[in-house]
Amino acid sequence: MKDTTMKKTIRIIGFLLGLIILTGVLSLFFKEQDGLKVYDSLSVHVKTADIKAEPDQSLQILFYGDSECYASFSPNDLYSEFGYTSYGCGTAAQKICDTYAILNENLKTQSPDIIVLETNCLFRSLKEKEGTPDPVMDLLTDRVPVIAYHSRWKELARKSLPKKREENRRKNKGFVVREGVNPYNGTTKYMNKTDKAKKIDEDILEYLDQIKALCDKNDITLLLVSAPAPKNWNYEKHNGVADWASSHEVDYMDLNLEDGIKINWKKDSKDGGDHLNLKGARKVTKFMGEYFRDTYGLTAEE
């Protein structure tokens, strides 16, 4: 009887030790980038790998942000019309800590002239991780990275298997092609002027300051851009971004206020005013190309 109990105890201890070792090994795979805090390690890994696959020192412009970024700026159109080399580093629901981690890694192989940060991510809270409002789980995810990303195994497998998807992403330089039309049916005058400003969280501002410092250190122009998006943008957010940009001497373009783009919300939206479709993105991309040329004197890559 004692031998049986001892054997069970040894098996349990052996199992727990094996689990601890396995967790440690997996945590190395899911670890934060160079000690930086990231909330979406998989997306950070995908985007850093994409840029490493590009020839070193070959990109003039890098775009960052959430889905508004990868739906609005088309690097291939920017190249075909203006000769500018660029890549979209936007990821779904990208948070500013992920932006900083991707940028920090990208600058190891690229020396862009311009960094474009789409501003919707500045209002994506870092207070808690998505799906983990429990402070105990938050603590565990900070200490044991594999726990933070345990729910992403299926996503990892899904993104690892289809080579066609990876080929399309790299062929389009990070831009997501969406040709469907779902009109925005609200008022086209959604940018109602106000003196109110939506406050950007302090922890987000800390990362924004670090991004600016990284750009300054590497002699890169930082440009904040708000993509056309009546479903999630307004004048209070505009004022919040404009206040920071003005106080830090950073250029800021709110494309929601630019009539020259000529967005037609009946034809240029993919999903009711949240994201642009291909036609809308091409209008934005052309406008941006002209801005790079006229404001910064950017010339085509030889």
Side-chain angles (χ1 to χ4, degrees), residues 88-146:
C89 299
T91 59
Q94 186 174 114
K95 295 188 177 183
I96 195 69
C97 56
D98 301 329
T99 306
Y100 179 76
I102 297 170
L103 172 60
N104 188 66
E105 191 68 22
N106 291 166
L107 293 183
K108 294 178 180 179
T109 58
Q110 299 294 333
S111 300
D113 298 292
I114 301 168
I115 293 296
V116 175
L117 177 61
E118 204 291 320
T119 58
N120 195 55
C121 67
L122 299 180
F123 297 95
R124 199 174 292 281
S125 177
L126 300 182
K127 298 295 183 187
E128 59 188 34
K129 300 172 184 59
E130 291 182 13
T132 59
D134 186 339
V136 175
M137 181 58 73
D138 255 7
L139 180 62
L140 282 173
T141 60
D142 281 339
R143 297 293 182 267
V144 187
V146 69

Side-chain angles (χ1 to χ4, degrees), residues 157-174:
R158 178 170 54 82
K159 288 190 176 182
S160 297
L161 292 176
K163 293 295 183 182
K164 188 67 175 176
R165 181 179 301 174
E166 180 178 334
E167 290 171 2
N168 285 337
R169 186 182 69 246
R170 291 187 174 176
K171 182 179 72 173
N172 293 314
K173 306 295 182 182

Side-chain angles (χ1 to χ4, degrees), residues 57 59-64 103-104 106-117 210-223 249-251 296 298:
Q57 317 305 329
L59 300 171
Q60 296 171 282
I61 307 160
L62 292 175
F63 297 95
Y64 295 85
L103 172 60
N104 188 66
N106 291 166
L107 293 183
K108 294 178 180 179
T109 58
Q110 299 294 333
S111 300
D113 298 292
I114 301 168
I115 293 296
V116 175
L117 177 61
Q210 290 181 62
I211 289 172
K212 181 182 183 301
L214 201 54
C215 289
D216 290 344
K217 178 182 177 182
N218 290 277
D219 196 26
I220 299 169
T221 296
L222 174 62
L223 172 63
E249 299 183 329
V250 170
D251 292 340
Y296 302 123
L298 197 65

